[in-house]
Amino acid sequence: MPTALLTLIGKPGCHLCDDARELVTDVVRTLDGTPGAPEMAIEERSILDDAALSELYLEDIPVLMINGKVHNYWRIDPDRLRAALLAVK
């Protein structure tokens, strides 16, 4: 079965990051158990804890990555995220 690691890069106190976390969690919850959906896990990383991430994404948070590849910046579209997750091989 394919797997999808969703990495949400942000920082504490970022309202867009809070919105993204809620949306990603909801999409993962709705896809859980759906035929064709990958096994999914969510991890969060803070730009405050990682200088390299801060340098790369300071102006772009939140950033959502799927299996290490940037999927989206700032606002996450739930339909686009669902489609991307269902396309994970």
Side-chain angles (χ1 to χ4, degrees):
M1 173 177 283
T3 60
L5 175 60
L6 291 92
T7 305
L8 187 59
I9 300 169
K11 69 177 183 178
C14 165
H15 73 281
L16 290 177
C17 301
D18 294 339
D19 293 346
R21 178 184 310 106
E22 185 176 323
L23 187 143
V24 169
T25 301
D26 287 345
V27 169
V28 167
R29 186 178 308 122
T30 61
L31 284 178
D32 188 37
T34 299
E39 292 288 324
M40 296 168 280
I42 303 169
E43 72 173 0
E44 290 193 49
R45 309 241 346 245
S46 173
I47 62 169
L48 300 180
D49 299 331
D50 187 319
L53 286 179
S54 181
E55 186 174 322
L56 284 171
Y57 301 119
L58 179 64
E59 299 296 323
D60 298 324
I61 60 171
V63 176
L64 178 63
M65 302 179 98
I66 300 175
N67 291 337
K69 182 179 175 190
V70 173
H71 170 74
N72 223 106
Y73 298 96
W74 303 306
R75 296 197 185 272
I76 307 223
D77 179 273
D79 295 328
R80 183 170 175 258
L81 177 56
R82 275 187 212 91
L85 289 170
L86 290 172
V88 169
K89 303 288 181 211

